[in-house]
Amino acid sequence: MVVGFRAFFAASILALSTLFAVPATAGTLQCVPFARQVSGIDIHGNANTWWGQAEGRYDRGHEPRVGAVLAFAASRSMPVGHVAMVSKVVSGREVLLTHANWSYRGGIERNVRAIDVSANNDWTDVRVWYGPIGDLGLRSNPARGFIYAQPSKTIDQPVQIASADATGGAAVHAAF
C-alpha cells in the first residue's frame, strides 16, 4: 500500500508542477515584443532595426501621434536601440510613452514623460522618464523618429475607388 501511495503522491506533485511551470523560453520582458503587442506594428528583430524595416511597410515621420512607435537608435548605452509606443501627445515636444524594459529590467511603464531635446525639433534626441531617479533621465537618447501604425500606401498597393454607376448604384474599381 505504501508503494501505491508514493506513486500517487509523486504523480500528483508532477501534475501540479506542470500547472505552475515556467516555459524554458520565458525570460525578461523586452521592449520589442511589448511594443509590437501594444501598437499593432508587426516588425520583428532588435529595436535598432525597426526604423529600416518600417520603410515601405509603415509610414514614418517626426511628428508624434498616439499609437505610433518611437524608434530609438543604437547607442553606446543602448546597443540594440529601444522602441516605445506613444500613449498621449502632450505637445509637439512632449509625449507620454508606454514601454517595457527601460527603468527596470523587464518592467512595464505606462504613460511616462518623454521630451524632444533635439536642436531641430525633430525628435532625434530625446530625454525619457527614468524611474530610479523619479525624473527625466540625465542623458538624452538618439532616436530615428516615429513609426505610424497605419501601413504605408505605396504605388504598387491597389486602391479601391468608389463611384456611382449609370443606375445610381455604387461600383468599386481597383486602381493600380
Side-chain angles (χ1 to χ4, degrees):
M1 192 63 148
V2 172
V3 173
F5 176 73
R6 284 187 183 156
F8 172 76
F9 183 72
S12 298
I13 295 297
L14 180 61
L16 284 174
S17 69
T18 60
L19 293 175
F20 302 104
V22 177
T25 58
T28 303
L29 181 62
Q30 299 294 320
C31 66
V32 165
F34 184 76
R36 186 172 46 246
Q37 179 185 5
V38 298
S39 72
I41 294 175
D42 190 26
I43 296 179
H44 297 257
N46 288 339
N48 63 337
T49 69
W50 275 43
W51 184 256
Q53 287 189 62
E55 186 174 9
R57 292 178 59 196
Y58 295 94
D59 288 334
R60 304 179 306 173
H62 296 278
E63 173 191 329
R65 296 182 195 160
V66 172
V69 168
L70 179 56
F72 290 84
S75 67
R76 185 179 182 126
S77 59
M78 294 187 307
V80 293
H82 184 71
V83 284
M85 188 200 66
V86 177
S87 48
K88 181 176 182 179
V89 177
V90 177
S91 71
R93 297 204 68 178
E94 182 178 348
V95 297
L96 299 183
L97 297 176
T98 293
H99 59 166
N101 205 30
W102 182 266
S103 294
Y104 306 99
R105 185 172 164 82
I108 296 172
E109 294 177 295
R110 297 184 189 281
N111 301 316
V112 296
R113 188 172 180 229
I115 60 169
D116 172 23
V117 294
S118 62
N120 295 327
N121 302 330
D122 61 3
W123 288 90
T124 56
D125 202 17
V126 182
R127 286 183 60 205
V128 179
W129 175 266
Y130 187 61
I133 64 171
D135 203 354
L136 291 172
L138 300 177
R139 65 174 162 71
S140 61
N141 303 279
R144 305 296 298 273
F146 297 95
I147 302 170
Y148 305 113
Q150 306 82 352
S152 178
K153 290 178 177 60
T154 61
I155 195 147
D156 44 347
Q157 289 178 328
V159 177
Q160 290 190 344
I161 303 169
S163 64
D165 66 14
T167 63
V172 177
H173 308 279
F176 296 92

